[in-house]
Amino acid sequence: MPRGFAMLVLGASTLFAASAHAQTAPPDCRRVGDVPSIRIAPDAAVRLAEIGLDRVGVFARMAETSIPETMGCWAMPTGNFDSQLISVGMAQWNLGTGSLQPVLTAWRKQFRHKRDFRRMRDAVAPTYGKLLFSKDCRAVPVADKCRAAILAAEDDKGRLNPVLAAELTALFENDAMLQVQTDAYVALLDQVRLDLLRVFPNGPMTPRKVRWAIDTRVQQGFLPGDEDIARLRAKLAAMSEADRWPRLRAIIDWYGAIARTIDQDGVSRDAPWNVAAWNCLIDAGRVDPEQYELMSLTFLRSRTAIGNSGRWQALAFERRAKIVLGVGSVSGVRDGECGPFGG
């Protein structure tokens, strides 16, 4: 399922990689959270305060992002089962979309001398370090030589061999890499701030909007364009009250229908419960105007999820809908409730 996040190549339109939905989080993994040694640049902190994020808020959002991506871990590497070669890190940067390469380069640049880099590289990744940091693997797109070597380290189902998985884990749990991951996430939040100012120029910048925009960036790389938003808002403004709730139910019907099709993955444990819960919220009058618009914008963006030819559209929708409505199931984890749905 989608795990993506080209924080440093945010304009990419093919960001869908798979999340760690089908994985089991290692019980001893290093969990995402505030680490005193991690720095947030003062100028970035000032900008993020514009959308209500202080240091505590930044790490809270990082932890929230990591849950569907890595089950809350800083590393949790996965292989090519989603056609992205390697995905790793709290936001599942990957070689396939080109989002992992800048992260590797940033870690390498932290060392003043090459000998220090090589010493640390060989300490955390003695077998595969040279490959991971080679020019072929840091190229975008990765060179054929790198691709072949990575695939040779995976089984026929795209799972990493234990040595490569352990070395990627050690690398991404390394203190210096925690700083790189945080820097990349703060850069993403800076882009989210601009997104929010563009999409909601009249405010207010509510926590719900911030969380929704972050997850959209993480999974799909960008928010809907101005022309599409203007068209949608014009239709919403012209819509009669009689059409209002049937239209929202139709969006939920769309999600439920594609979730049942042959080529939608990552939602089998979630979709029936979500459809029942969200329709229950409508019945109970528990969808406010902000939620209504965000659900419509979620539909607008989710239906353009193109990774693996649209394989993750239902998952994209349910992730954002859960944030917007405060009720939902993603990766089998249910939050909130409206009524008894069984299952």
Side-chain angles (χ1 to χ4, degrees):
M1 81 202 46
R3 64 184 172 220
F5 197 4
M7 290 183 186
L8 303 179
V9 284
L10 290 168
S13 62
T14 57
L15 277 187
F16 264 117
S19 82
H21 172 288
Q23 308 292 325
T24 300
D28 58 347
C29 81
R30 192 169 186 181
R31 311 291 294 185
V32 175
D34 196 348
V35 177
S37 62
I38 294 177
R39 305 173 305 280
I40 296 178
D43 57 338
V46 170
R47 292 192 299 273
L48 294 183
E50 297 177 15
I51 56 173
L53 292 178
D54 57 9
R55 183 181 178 94
V56 172
V58 169
F59 282 98
R61 298 287 73 76
M62 289 181 74
E64 183 177 55
T65 294
S66 72
I67 295 301
E69 300 294 339
T70 63
M71 302 300 182
C73 300
W74 278 106
M76 201 170 181
T78 55
N80 195 50
F81 69 94
D82 59 348
S83 306
Q84 304 304 329
L85 287 180
I86 286 175
S87 299
V88 62
M90 52 78 53
Q92 289 288 272
W93 294 280
N94 60 81
L95 291 176
T97 65
S99 58
L100 177 56
Q101 291 88 321
V103 174
L104 294 173
T105 298
W107 188 81
R108 186 174 183 267
K109 287 182 176 180
Q110 285 197 344
F111 299 92
R112 180 174 299 181
H113 302 292
K114 287 185 177 180
R115 63 177 179 274
D116 296 329
F117 156 69
R118 290 167 180 161
R119 186 181 301 116
M120 182 59 72
R121 177 199 66 192
D122 294 344
V124 298
T127 302
Y128 289 99
K130 289 183 179 179
L131 171 65
L132 293 171
F133 288 95
S134 67
K135 289 183 178 179
D136 288 336
C137 286
R138 286 185 290 114
V140 180
V142 295
D144 290 343
K145 184 177 179 180
C146 170
R147 177 179 294 275
I150 295 295
L151 292 176
E154 301 182 6
D155 65 18
D156 58 0
K157 295 183 178 179
R159 293 175 297 202
L160 303 172
N161 72 40
V163 175
L164 179 53
E167 292 188 358
L168 283 166
T169 298
L171 173 62
F172 274 76
E173 290 184 349
N174 172 267
D175 283 348
M177 186 59 90
L178 299 194
Q179 180 66 59
V180 170
Q181 293 193 60
T182 302
D183 289 344
Y185 196 81
V186 167
L188 170 92
L189 293 179
D190 232 353
Q191 293 297 318
V192 167
R193 178 181 64 87
L194 296 176
D195 285 333
L196 290 168
L197 293 172
R198 174 179 65 84
V199 177
F200 306 104
N202 300 318
M205 299 305 179
T206 63
R208 180 192 289 150
K209 288 176 180 174
V210 172
R211 294 172 62 220
W212 171 83
I214 290 171
D215 200 66
T216 303
R217 272 274 182 183
V218 167
Q219 220 185 16
Q220 288 189 265
F222 56 91
L223 273 62
D226 291 344
E227 182 179 344
D228 292 334
I229 292 172
R231 184 186 70 250
L232 176 67
R233 284 183 170 150
K235 290 184 176 182
L236 291 175
M239 186 170 55
S240 69
E241 187 62 28
D243 282 343
R244 185 170 180 79
W245 303 114
R247 294 286 194 183
L248 184 56
R249 292 187 197 275
I251 291 175
I252 297 171
D253 288 344
W254 167 84
Y255 157 77
I258 65 167
R260 296 193 304 271
T261 60
I262 192 171
D263 197 41
Q264 289 293 306
D265 287 333
V267 294
S268 61
R269 293 182 291 173
D270 308 306
W273 193 89
N274 284 335
V275 169
W278 298 335
N279 277 300
C280 176
L281 293 177
I282 295 173
D283 293 338
R286 290 172 52 188
V287 179
D288 64 33
E290 179 180 283
Q291 290 172 313
Y292 195 103
E293 182 181 59
L294 287 174
M295 286 292 285
S296 300
L297 290 168
T298 296
F299 170 61
L300 191 69
R301 189 69 184 95
S302 299
R303 72 189 189 196
T304 63
I306 61 174
N308 290 153
S309 299
R311 181 182 174 191
W312 312 108
Q313 289 177 351
L315 180 62
F317 182 84
E318 75 177 29
R319 277 177 58 158
R320 246 75 79 214
K322 182 178 180 178
I323 290 171
V324 171
L325 297 175
V327 174
S329 179
V330 176
S331 299
V333 178
R334 296 174 182 175
D335 289 313
E337 61 181 12
C338 179
F341 315 119

